[in-house]
Amino acid sequence: QVQLVESGGGLVQTGGSLRLSCAASGRTFSNYNMGWFRQAPGKEREFVAGISWSGRQTYYAGSVKGRFTISRDNAKNTVYMQMNSLKPEDTAVYYCATNSLPGDSVYDVESRYDYWGQGTQVTVSS
């Protein structure tokens, strides 16, 4: 079993920045790939960014590429997402997730993830 706890969400103006954190516990964090997803009101949950267990592989949704950066600190069992140049359309609940699939890979499909955090709200005002 694994527990994921997100933090760092909040209210920010357009063009501002936030840094989300996801603290993991319950198993060897460094062995598992991680991802961030988001869900806006009335919309389906969508992939935002992913990082492999080593940190060498990253992948971003087109809508956030160049603005968001995912990283991880395996010594602290934490994955981060730095979000810059935020837009109102980035408003959503952000979730981190992990999977137990083998390989140093990134997965952008929700069904590939086994464990999810409770989410943190990000609101970008215009």
Side-chain angles (χ1 to χ4, degrees), residues 32-47:
Y32 298 95
N33 306 303
M34 302 293 295
W36 285 98
F37 289 74
R38 68 186 181 186
Q39 187 168 22
K43 295 186 177 180
E44 293 187 350
R45 189 155 54 185
E46 63 176 1
F47 171 80

Side-chain angles (χ1 to χ4, degrees), residues 77 82 90:
N77 288 357
Q82 178 67 41
D90 294 318

Side-chain angles (χ1 to χ4, degrees), residues 2-10 20-25 34-39 45 92-98 114-122:
V2 63
Q3 295 79 42
L4 301 172
V5 179
E6 302 96 336
S7 60
L20 303 185
S21 299
C22 173
S25 62
M34 302 293 295
W36 285 98
F37 289 74
R38 68 186 181 186
Q39 187 168 22
R45 189 155 54 185
V93 177
Y94 284 72
Y95 300 89
C96 70
T98 185
D114 305 308
Y115 299 98
W116 295 80
Q118 83 290 347
T120 186
Q121 176 71 46
V122 171

Side-chain angles (χ1 to χ4, degrees), residues 73-120:
D73 185 338
N74 287 343
K76 295 183 178 180
N77 288 357
T78 301
V79 63
Y80 305 96
M81 188 161 68
Q82 178 67 41
M83 306 187 297
N84 299 328
S85 302
L86 284 162
K87 305 174 182 180
E89 51 263 44
D90 294 318
T91 295
V93 177
Y94 284 72
Y95 300 89
C96 70
T98 185
N99 65 42
S100 57
L101 295 172
D104 190 34
S105 303
V106 179
Y107 298 90
D108 61 354
V109 178
E110 184 175 341
S111 61
R112 294 296 191 118
Y113 288 85
D114 305 308
Y115 299 98
W116 295 80
Q118 83 290 347
T120 186

